[in-house]
């Protein structure tokens, strides 16, 4: 069971917006950057967001990230069928030596 | 464009040692700081195993600390993972990845499946 809590699944129709939450604590999300990853079936994870709200080159601006207190959120606007995937958040815990961690993952279904 | 590729045995016997290598192409392994291993058990989430710095120093997740080793070979542009005393619980897809900083893994290998079974 992960220290970072994500909803197991979310769903929305094409064209709609969706948010995926990642809940942690003061010593992880509360004081460190958050990253987000997209994992399409049978493939390696892909970095979507780094430093909580920054997008790597090539990632559409439909994807955005934010943080408030001890929770982070991935926002996906204008859903496309190709967005159907698993999404993971990641950060590290300042109170744990080498305490890098991931959330349990959220399955996004585009209806 | 940096690419990573994992290699190693796909089947390891219980109590044996899992050994994997990650080959880096498109850039020198010395040009980035941290190189990591992450695994994903069947139907489960991602689990960070540890990291090796370009100089060879390492950090390991507490869950693996007593049985994990990582190293870097700059002459071959590779880094490696060893996990000893494996059990069925170590059956997973193993990924190598690059940390661009602040715990953001921006380049991943395709992953390699390792099954622990007799």
């Amino acid at each position: 069971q992960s220290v970072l809590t994500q909803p197991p699944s979310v769903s929305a129709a094409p064209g709609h917006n969706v948010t995926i939450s990642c809940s942690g604590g003061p010593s992880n999300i509360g004081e460190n950057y958050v990253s987000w990853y997209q994992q399409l079936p049978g493939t390696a994870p892909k970095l979507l967001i780094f430093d909580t709200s920054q997008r790597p080159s090539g990632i559409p601006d439909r994807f955005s990230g934010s943080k408030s207190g001890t929770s982070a959120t991935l926002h996906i606007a204008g859903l496309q069928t190709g967005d159907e995937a698993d999404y993971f958040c990641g950060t590290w815990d300042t109170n744990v030596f080498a305490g890098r961690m991931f959330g349990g993952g959220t399955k996004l279904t585009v209806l | 464009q940096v690419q990573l590729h994992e290699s190693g045995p796909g089947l390891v016997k219980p109590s044996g040692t899992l050994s994997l290598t990650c080959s880096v192409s498109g850039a020198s392994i010395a040009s980035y700081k941290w190189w990591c291993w992450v695994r994903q058990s069947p139907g489960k989430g991602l689990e960070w195993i540890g990291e090796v710095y370009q100089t060879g120093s390492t950090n390991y997740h507490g869950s693996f600390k007593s049985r994990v080793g990582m190293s870097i070979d700059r002459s071959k542009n590779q880094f490696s993972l060893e996990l000893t005393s494996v059990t069925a619980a170590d059956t997973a897809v193993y990924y190598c990845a690059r940390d661009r900083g602040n715990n953001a893994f921006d380049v991943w290998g395709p992953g390699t499946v390792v099954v622990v079974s007799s």
Side-chain angles (χ1 to χ4, degrees):
Chain A
Q1 189 168 348
S2 177
V3 172
L4 303 180
T5 302
Q6 297 182 235
S9 62
V10 297
S11 60
H16 285 221
N17 302 337
V18 72
T19 61
I20 297 174
S21 61
C22 176
S23 178
S27 60
N28 44 70
I29 292 179
E31 58 185 31
N32 294 312
Y33 289 113
V34 178
S35 53
W36 287 92
Y37 304 86
Q38 177 193 62
Q39 186 175 34
L40 298 169
T43 69
K46 175 183 179 181
L47 181 66
L48 285 180
I49 299 289
F50 67 96
D51 290 358
T52 303
S53 60
Q54 304 302 305
R55 281 186 309 277
S57 60
I59 301 300
D61 59 6
R62 301 188 297 108
F63 295 92
S64 61
S66 64
K67 185 176 84 168
S68 178
T70 59
S71 289
T73 303
L74 175 68
H75 308 262
I76 308 175
L79 269 180
Q80 301 176 359
T81 54
D83 296 334
E84 188 160 292
D86 293 323
Y87 292 83
F88 296 90
C89 59
T91 188
W92 70 98
D93 196 304
T94 308
N95 288 345
V96 178
F97 180 73
R100 297 169 183 257
M101 59 185 63
F102 294 97
T106 298
K107 169 67 177 176
L108 169 63
T109 300
V110 182
L111 301 170
Chain B
Q1 182 179 349
V2 182
Q3 293 185 318
L4 306 182
H5 195 273
E6 306 88 352
S7 60
L11 180 64
V12 182
K13 293 188 186 306
S15 76
T17 297
L18 180 160
S19 298
L20 297 175
T21 296
C22 182
S23 299
V24 180
S25 60
S28 167
I29 201 169
S31 60
Y32 292 90
K33 293 184 177 180
W34 292 102
W35 302 90
C36 308
W37 290 95
V38 176
R39 75 179 186 181
Q40 187 169 31
S41 302
K44 295 191 177 180
L46 302 170
E47 186 174 25
W48 183 78
I49 302 171
E51 60 193 0
V52 57
Y53 192 64
Q54 58 176 229
T55 59
S57 61
T58 55
N59 291 313
Y60 305 131
H61 191 283
S63 298
F64 303 95
K65 202 166 185 178
S66 62
R67 59 190 188 102
V68 67
M70 295 181 186
S71 60
I72 198 164
D73 187 335
R74 280 174 283 180
S75 67
K76 294 183 179 178
N77 228 35
Q78 296 175 336
F79 60 104
S80 299
L81 166 71
E82 279 204 347
L83 190 64
T84 63
S85 304
V86 296
T87 69
D90 294 309
T91 293
V93 178
Y94 285 77
Y95 296 101
C96 58
R98 183 182 76 178
D99 181 6
R100 60 161 286 150
N102 293 332
N103 200 61
F105 306 105
D106 65 337
V107 182
W108 295 70
T112 188
V113 176
V114 178
V115 175
V116 178
S117 174
S118 56

